[in-house]
């Protein structure tokens, strides 16, 4: 197992709006439950006008959540993204620094992006995403200097919506001799960018992370068979099974790690925080099974909270039992 000392997470810097609502509310908005759709800011305003409940607010974004979790575990991590020149953007940058993440945040013309995460009683989350300034990330803004000093670059699948930028990230990461980890992020991402992903997995990606739905969208196969498809393409392949744990493949090695059974109230950030625990293990030189065990612990911790922010007391407990 490679020992990755420093991780650079790249993705959207977003302000999460967390709303606990009914299945009927989600259906009335014509959103596919469990999915993510890109919207305009006016769509978020419209959706919020149709509920009497108040949404909670916190920093978010898939790769950003992973960076925060990795930092809270004691890892060395930077987050590269783009925010607006507004109060939500300033708060995100300040909070990342306070949590131990080195923020590399460009400033855009649009407002800071926002995600309305609608959490139904079964703990599932359905997301409406206004990318805002995050969509303005430009290939011209980043240089190889942003990647130097890091060993692993973690990319969220959502970044493919900005394909020129995503491709530049991959190009510079390889020039800087970084390994590349890709989280597929959403079955919609896989469905839209299937052809691009086929090239990426074959030529660029060293570590692939997918949940059951994302894996099936790519392979049209069972989780076990999907793992074998990914294993032929990437050095390290992961298929997450939710409450049932995770499947891993590295070379000829196959592992299945069970997850801790907990009372889940919100799956927001579950995969992101799983990745933070797993990457922390890699930075410590742990084997993939032990790294996945910590990933399962961090993933289980976040689903017991509303949103992707784990309380300080819970982090203290996790860190004392690593």
């Amino acid at each position: 197992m490679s020992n990755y000392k420093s991780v650079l997470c790249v993705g959207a810097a977003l302000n999460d709006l967390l709303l606990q609502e009914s299945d009927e509310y989600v259906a009335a908005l014509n959103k596919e439950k469990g999915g993510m759709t890109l919207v305009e800011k006016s769509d978020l305003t419209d959706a919020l006008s149709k509920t009497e409940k108040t949404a909670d607010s916190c920093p978010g974004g898939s790769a950003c959540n992973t960076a925060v979790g990795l930092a809270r575990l004691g890892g060395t991590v930077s987050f590269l993204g783009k925010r607006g020149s507004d109060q939500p953007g300033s708060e995100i940058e300040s909070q990342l620094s306070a949590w131990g993440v080195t923020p590399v945040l460009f400033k855009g013309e649009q407002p800071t992006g926002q995600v309305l995460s609608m959490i139904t009683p079964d703990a599932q989350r359905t997301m409406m995403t206004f990318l805002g300034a995050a969509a303005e990330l430009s290939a011209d803004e980043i240089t190889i200097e942003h990647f130097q000093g890091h060993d692993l670059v973690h990319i969220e699948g959502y970044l493919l919506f900005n394909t020129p930028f995503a491709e530049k990230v991959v190009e510079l990461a390889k020039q800087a001799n970084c390994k590349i980890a890709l989280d597929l992020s959403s079955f919609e991402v896989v469905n839209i960018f299937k052809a691009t992903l086929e090239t990426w997995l074959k030529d660029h990606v060293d570590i692939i992370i997918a949940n059951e739905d994302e894996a099936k969208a790519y392979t049209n196969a069972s989780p076990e068979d999907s793992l074998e498809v990914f294993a032929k393409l990437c050095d390290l392949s992961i298929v997450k099974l939710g409450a049932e744990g995770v499947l891993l493949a590295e070379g000829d090695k196959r592992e299945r790690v069970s997850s801790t059974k907990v009372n889940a109230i919100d799956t927001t950030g579950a995969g992101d925080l799983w990745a933070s625990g797993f990457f922390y293990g890699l930075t410590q030189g742990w084997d993939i099974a032990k790294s996945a065990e910590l990933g399962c612990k961090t993933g289980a911790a976040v689903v017991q909270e509303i949103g992707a922010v784990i309380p300080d007391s819970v982090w203290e407990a996790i860190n004392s039992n690593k």
Side-chain angles (χ1 to χ4, degrees):
M1 171 56 64
S2 298
N3 193 351
Y4 304 108
K5 296 296 186 184
S6 179
V7 181
L8 173 65
C9 295
V10 185
L14 302 172
N15 171 220
D16 275 356
L17 302 173
L18 310 169
L19 180 67
Q20 297 183 69
E21 257 293 359
S22 64
D23 289 320
E24 291 75 18
Y25 174 84
V26 174
L29 293 173
N30 294 315
K31 301 304 176 188
E32 186 172 0
K33 185 175 175 178
M36 187 284 292
T37 52
L38 293 177
V39 301
E40 298 299 326
K41 192 170 179 64
S42 58
D43 296 316
L44 296 185
T45 302
D46 180 63
L48 289 168
S49 73
K50 295 176 179 176
T51 179
E52 296 180 355
K53 299 184 178 181
T54 301
D56 294 323
S57 175
C58 64
S62 177
C64 186
N65 291 337
T66 298
V68 169
L70 184 50
R72 298 304 302 268
L73 288 165
T76 301
V77 58
S78 301
F79 172 72
L80 189 151
K82 196 165 196 174
R83 68 173 182 86
S85 299
D86 51 17
Q87 186 65 24
S90 296
E91 290 176 356
I92 288 172
E93 188 156 359
S94 296
Q95 187 61 73
L96 289 179
S97 295
W99 281 331
V101 178
T102 299
V104 184
L105 295 178
F106 304 106
K107 291 183 181 179
E109 297 296 323
Q110 294 190 64
T112 298
Q114 290 185 307
V115 177
L116 177 59
S117 182
M118 297 167 282
I119 305 143
T120 43
D122 60 356
Q124 184 63 275
R125 57 96 181 103
T126 304
M127 297 184 294
M128 295 171 61
T129 302
F130 163 64
L131 288 172
E136 298 177 9
L137 279 165
S138 169
D140 296 335
E141 291 178 298
I142 54 173
T143 66
I144 195 168
E145 282 75 22
H146 290 113
F147 297 81
Q148 290 172 341
H150 300 288
D151 311 293
L152 178 65
V153 175
H154 174 57
I155 302 170
E156 61 184 57
Y158 298 124
L159 208 64
L160 284 165
F161 284 104
N162 187 344
T163 301
F165 177 78
E167 290 179 342
K168 186 64 175 293
V169 169
V170 168
E171 175 189 335
L172 291 176
K174 288 300 186 182
Q175 287 182 19
N177 295 317
C178 298
K179 297 292 186 180
I180 294 175
L182 173 68
D183 190 318
L184 292 183
S185 298
S186 163
F187 59 82
E188 288 99 341
V189 169
V190 180
N191 290 334
I192 294 169
F193 297 104
K194 181 75 174 293
T196 301
L197 287 169
E198 287 175 348
T199 300
W200 272 38
L201 296 190
K202 181 168 65 74
D203 297 336
H204 305 308
V205 175
D206 302 288
I207 303 173
I208 180 68
I209 303 174
N211 66 23
E212 290 179 90
D213 291 338
E214 295 151 9
K216 187 172 183 179
Y218 187 85
T219 67
N220 196 31
S222 68
E224 291 80 7
D225 289 342
S226 295
L227 185 74
E228 297 308 318
V229 172
F230 292 140
K232 291 181 173 66
L233 299 169
C234 303
D235 294 338
L236 177 51
S237 304
I238 297 119
V239 177
K240 297 172 293 180
L241 308 174
E244 300 305 312
V246 61
L247 303 173
L248 306 104
E250 182 185 32
D252 295 331
K253 182 187 296 184
R254 300 291 182 270
E255 299 280 1
R256 179 169 186 146
V257 174
S258 298
S259 185
T260 306
K261 297 295 190 282
V262 297
N263 179 30
I265 62 173
D266 175 18
T267 57
T268 302
D272 308 332
L273 271 295
W274 185 93
S276 71
F278 184 72
F279 289 149
Y280 177 81
L282 298 190
T283 67
Q284 303 306 299
W286 296 355
D287 64 27
I288 58 173
K290 184 177 179 181
S291 298
E293 287 171 3
L294 181 57
C296 289
K297 288 179 183 178
T298 49
V302 78
V303 300
Q304 297 177 75
E305 310 293 336
I306 297 297
V309 178
I310 297 174
D312 291 350
S313 59
V314 178
W315 279 122
E316 289 172 4
I318 293 172
N319 282 319
S320 65
N321 292 285
K322 285 195 297 226

